[in-house]
Amino acid sequence: MDNKEIFIKAFSQLDPLTDNETMLKNVKERAGKMNTRKRIAFKKPLAVIAAAVLTVAAATISVGAATDWDYFGVFGQIFGKRGENIKDNVVPEATVIQDTIDTMDFEIVAAAADKHSVMTIIDIYPENDFKLIEETEHGTIIHPIWDLFITVVSENISDSGTNVTPLETSEEKVRLCVRMNTVTEIKNEKVTINAVLENKKDENGEYAFDTDSYYAWSAEFTVSYTGEEIRYEEELTVSCTIGPATVTGIEISPISAYLEGERLDNFFGEYGDYDKNYVLLDSGERVIICGITASAYEYPIGNTHLTLTFAEPINPEEAASIVIGDNTIKLK
């Protein structure tokens, strides 16, 4: 059975969260509540859905809470054989530093990282008769996604993006994959994952988004791992739709690709349908790129950095090229 057949079979068993018009309306309403605050970027809903569906098709996730912080074991259950690729990027145990949400119980059951990205798996359980999933006139609401403002931060992280994908949903548990990518190097730094319950109001009747509020959960871990990135240094100019971009260096890890060069933000103009953005392996297999983050221009003017997040862990030695839209960056 090929990926297309797996996708169709898996998707036929899942109820859509809502229709496109309602989803757009809901996202606009949420953006309005946040005012100028930075939100989770649902830049590629198709990529998020496709990655989640293919993951569900690849393995049945039946494990509850991790035992003895067996992060690698959980990744194996989620990604199957591809989980082996991430074994050297698994990080030390996370520590919960705040837990004041009385409707949900959180547990990090897996975490891995590289120089420029973090991937964590969080299980969320209901507390005090709270419903994790609710049917409304607008469709199915998954409250851990709808009600939570989730970020991954550190003292030095800049130009970052956070992506949240549901891997498993039921009345008993919702499992989320939370990814963060950044152009800042974060190896050996301590990072914090924050989940703020945004549907709670403070004493002034305003929605509470402060991570120090009474309705927040936080955990931290150190980006310490033994896996190594593979680096390629070869200048390449790509003719993007809105202007050329020049790539001068690329680092590939099991989790992401980090590009150095000039005007790399031009790739945003090519970043369209989920099936047009992927890393091509030696075997001919495609692994979807589910997130993209670019830096601001640096001196000299035009210098930029780009981080691309993979939907599934890869073996960096098997990466043959990176495809964004109609542009191919050959690694070998």
Side-chain angles (χ1 to χ4, degrees):
M1 185 181 294
D2 59 23
N3 280 347
K4 183 177 180 181
E5 292 172 323
I6 291 173
F7 182 93
I8 293 173
K9 180 179 179 181
F11 194 79
S12 66
Q13 299 171 356
L14 298 177
D15 293 326
L17 301 183
T18 183
D19 59 84
N20 289 339
E21 184 177 349
T22 303
M23 180 179 290
L24 180 60
K25 177 177 179 292
N26 292 341
V27 169
K28 286 181 177 179
E29 289 176 353
R30 288 165 62 81
K33 287 197 299 180
M34 285 303 300
N35 295 323
T36 58
R37 285 187 176 271
K38 188 173 182 180
R39 293 306 317 266
I40 299 171
F42 291 93
K43 296 176 183 176
K44 292 181 59 57
L46 286 178
V48 171
I49 293 171
V53 170
L54 289 177
T55 300
V56 171
T60 300
I61 306 169
S62 58
V63 149
T67 302
D68 295 328
W69 300 94
D70 184 14
Y71 285 177
F72 176 56
V74 173
F75 281 128
Q77 292 181 36
I78 294 172
F79 297 114
K81 291 183 179 180
R82 288 197 187 279
E84 183 72 18
N85 297 325
I86 210 171
K87 64 179 182 180
D88 294 329
N89 290 81
V90 172
V91 302
E93 176 181 335
T95 301
V96 175
I97 56 178
Q98 182 178 208
D99 187 2
T100 52
I101 297 178
D102 57 6
T103 54
M104 305 179 202
D105 184 32
F106 299 78
E107 184 172 9
I108 294 183
V109 294
D114 62 16
K115 281 185 181 179
H116 299 281
S117 62
V118 168
M119 177 168 61
T120 58
I121 310 299
I122 301 177
D123 284 351
I124 302 177
Y125 303 91
E127 283 192 331
N128 298 320
D129 299 321
F130 181 74
K131 292 183 178 180
L132 294 178
I133 301 177
E134 185 178 6
E135 299 294 335
T136 72
E137 60 180 338
H138 301 296
T140 302
I141 301 290
I142 303 174
H143 284 290
I145 296 177
W146 184 252
D147 294 342
L148 294 174
F149 172 37
I150 300 177
T151 57
V152 181
V153 300
S154 79
E155 290 185 359
N156 298 314
I157 286 179
S158 62
D159 297 311
S160 64
T162 302
N163 179 286
V164 180
T165 305
L167 297 182
E168 179 183 353
T169 59
S170 71
E171 294 180 355
E172 291 76 30
K173 180 180 73 176
V174 169
R175 171 168 284 184
L176 300 179
C177 178
V178 179
R179 301 172 186 268
M180 183 279 297
N181 55 8
T182 177
V183 297
T184 308
E185 184 170 328
I186 57 174
K187 188 170 185 179
N188 296 321
E189 282 198 17
K190 185 171 288 186
V191 300
T192 303
I193 301 175
N194 297 311
V196 179
L197 190 60
E198 67 176 30
N199 64 358
K200 291 284 190 177
K201 294 184 178 181
D202 61 21
E203 57 187 10
N204 297 318
E206 299 293 332
Y207 285 101
F209 300 111
D210 189 351
T211 57
D212 293 326
S213 74
Y214 290 109
Y215 310 108
W217 172 88
S218 300
E220 64 181 16
F221 58 82
T222 301
V223 181
S224 175
Y225 59 92
T226 59
E228 295 183 359
E229 293 79 12
I230 295 180
R231 184 171 179 84
Y232 299 90
E233 294 190 28
E234 183 176 355
E235 187 164 319
L236 173 69
T237 298
V238 181
S239 300
C240 299
T241 303
I242 58 176
T246 301
V247 179
T248 57
I250 303 174
E251 288 184 352
I252 305 289
S253 85
I255 306 172
S256 71
Y258 174 71
L259 283 65
E260 301 168 348
E262 296 181 359
R263 300 176 299 278
L264 296 181
D265 55 323
N266 287 351
F267 278 114
F268 278 100
E270 315 300 304
Y271 195 62
D273 295 337
Y274 72 90
D275 57 349
K276 287 190 174 183
N277 310 288
Y278 54 88
V279 55
L280 181 67
L281 305 181
D282 292 332
S283 64
E285 293 180 272
R286 300 179 178 185
V287 175
I288 292 170
I289 294 172
C290 62
I292 179 171
T293 298
S295 69
Y297 281 6
E298 300 175 356
Y299 182 84
I301 299 299
N303 278 12
T304 47
H305 308 277
L306 198 70
T307 302
L308 308 170
T309 306
F310 306 143
E312 299 178 273
I314 70 167
N315 181 343
E317 296 181 356
E318 297 177 357
S321 59
I322 294 171
V323 178
I324 302 178
D326 295 327
N327 301 290
T328 299
I329 302 171
K330 292 185 178 180
L331 303 175
K332 299 178 180 179

